[in-house]
Amino acid sequence: TMQSSGHRFRDVEHHPLLTENDSYDSSSSEADMAERVWFIRDGCGMVCAIMTWLLVVYADFVVTFVMLLPSKDFWYSVINGVLFNCLAVLALSSHLRTMLTDPGAVPKGNATKEYMDNLQLKPGEVIYKCPKCCSIKPERAHHCSICKRCIRKMDHHCPWVNNCVGEKNQRFFVLFTMYIALISAHALVLCGFQFFSCVRGQWTECSDFSPPVTVILMIFLCLEGFLFLTFTAVMFGTQIHSICNDETEIERLKSEKPTWERRLRWEGMKSVFGGQPSLLWINPFAGFRIRRLLLRAKKGGPEFSV
């Protein structure tokens, strides 16, 4: 029986959410969700996401065309150019995977009698119903007012990726912060070398742009690099700390007492990044299937927006 909204699942593991073989509402089943693209139609989030891409493209432009291509040291330009652009591609790929991956949304409106019968609840067992999205709310799930959904192990909603960071996309968000921090640090180092070489030599020879334009472009890049490095490095450290402690940011801020058995630090890392440590941990393309994406495009599935 349904209790008051203050109750939660006592044992979620024994009552998994609806699978694609069960059905409470064919229009909102997880099987249908799997055929759609996850995207949040939030104006602020979309602006922030576009700004993120523009700032990375700006940094790539300054590094490539202002600092590396005019350099007389061929190998210096090639090595740093390849490294910076590879990191930028990995950062933007991680951003896309974070933004377009379902963070672990609980199906809307699954708090029905049919679905409750499927749970096979024991006498006296209590569950929690979210009054906002009319869904049965698993333990550690929280409702996001922007996504308008309950998200499993919701850490926070990040406008820079226009999505919640939750159970299914936290790995990509951690990679995004890591790669942005790396390219920011790389850009700052390159700016330092460039200023040093320009001061020692002739400003007119160290860049194809005029000295004033070169200085302005590099100053903006330094400011951008410093701000992004500070923000993403702190966020990366916070995320790793949360994963190791098996505690989301919301749970930490609310000082929620754990009703679940916390994983060991190493088990927490493996649960988020998947399996034993390998290069796949830092690969944002891992698990991406082009064939499935093409099938979605051929079916013409509607955009999944919440």
Side-chain angles (χ1 to χ4, degrees), residues 98-124:
T98 308
M99 182 170 62
L100 302 179
T101 298
D102 177 356
V106 178
K108 258 185 180 180
N110 69 346
T112 63
K113 185 179 183 301
E114 293 79 11
Y115 179 60
M116 301 218 11
D117 291 338
N118 287 335
L119 291 177
Q120 298 179 348
L121 296 171
K122 298 176 183 178

Side-chain angles (χ1 to χ4, degrees), residues 2-293:
M2 189 76 71
Q3 300 288 334
S4 66
S5 62
H7 293 84
R8 293 180 179 269
F9 273 113
R10 284 182 177 171
D11 191 357
V12 179
E13 292 182 1
H14 288 85
H15 304 292
L17 287 174
L18 201 66
T19 62
E20 58 186 36
N21 294 323
D22 300 323
S23 177
Y24 62 89
D25 183 357
S26 60
S27 64
S28 62
S29 67
E30 289 189 0
D32 288 339
M33 292 178 187
E35 299 301 324
R36 303 181 184 183
V37 176
W38 176 274
F39 182 75
I40 305 299
R41 288 185 179 177
D42 174 56
C44 176
M46 288 188 284
V47 170
C48 289
I50 292 172
M51 284 181 58
T52 301
W53 276 66
L54 291 177
L55 289 169
V56 173
V57 170
Y58 169 78
D60 189 66
F61 168 78
V62 176
V63 167
T64 304
F65 293 97
V66 178
M67 294 189 285
L68 296 182
L69 286 182
S71 175
K72 297 177 181 179
D73 191 332
F74 175 77
W75 288 112
Y76 171 83
S77 299
V78 170
I79 293 174
N80 283 287
V82 170
L83 178 60
F84 188 88
N85 281 277
C86 285
L87 291 174
V89 169
L90 290 170
L92 294 179
S93 300
S94 300
H95 183 273
L96 276 179
R97 293 298 301 274
T98 308
M99 182 170 62
L100 302 179
T101 298
D102 177 356
V106 178
K108 258 185 180 180
N110 69 346
T112 63
K113 185 179 183 301
E114 293 79 11
Y115 179 60
M116 301 218 11
D117 291 338
N118 287 335
L119 291 177
Q120 298 179 348
L121 296 171
K122 298 176 183 178
E125 201 163 3
V126 294
I127 57 177
Y128 176 69
K129 175 185 175 182
C130 177
K132 297 179 181 178
C133 57
C134 195
S135 64
I136 295 177
K137 192 173 181 180
E139 188 176 37
R140 305 189 71 185
H142 292 272
H143 185 86
C144 176
S145 59
I146 298 176
C147 294
K148 297 182 176 68
R149 299 291 287 275
C150 284
I151 308 296
R152 297 184 187 95
K153 287 185 68 177
M154 176 181 169
D155 189 85
H156 67 286
H157 184 94
C158 179
W160 295 103
V161 297
N162 189 34
N163 201 0
C164 273
V165 177
E167 185 177 66
K168 294 183 179 179
N169 68 347
Q170 187 176 24
R171 169 175 170 261
F172 302 122
F173 181 74
V174 172
L175 293 182
F176 168 67
T177 58
M178 182 184 75
Y179 286 123
I180 290 294
L182 288 175
I183 64 172
S184 298
H186 192 191
L188 288 173
V189 171
L190 291 176
C191 281
F193 278 115
Q194 187 72 9
F195 274 119
F196 182 73
S197 62
C198 288
V199 169
R200 286 187 60 186
Q202 296 292 328
W203 277 91
T204 54
E205 297 178 0
C206 71
S207 175
D208 293 336
F209 295 85
S210 64
V213 173
T214 300
V215 172
I216 292 173
L217 291 174
M218 290 175 62
I219 288 176
F220 274 114
L221 179 59
C222 286
L223 291 174
E224 177 192 341
F226 178 76
L227 291 175
F228 266 63
L229 175 60
T230 303
F231 174 75
T232 54
V234 170
M235 185 59 70
F236 175 78
T238 302
Q239 288 293 302
I240 295 297
H241 181 267
S242 296
I243 293 171
C244 290
N245 287 344
D246 194 13
E247 181 183 49
T248 66
E249 189 65 17
I250 291 179
E251 292 165 350
R252 187 185 68 81
L253 292 175
K254 289 186 175 181
S255 299
E256 294 185 3
K257 294 182 179 180
T259 56
W260 62 95
E261 185 178 351
R262 284 187 171 179
R263 295 186 178 97
L264 299 175
R265 291 185 178 183
W266 199 240
E267 292 300 320
M269 292 290 288
K270 288 194 290 185
S271 69
V272 172
F273 290 92
Q276 296 297 324
S278 68
L279 290 177
L280 293 177
W281 278 25
I282 59 173
N283 179 13
F285 300 103
F288 179 73
R289 293 177 175 83
I290 298 179
R291 184 179 178 183
R292 181 183 296 178
L293 190 64

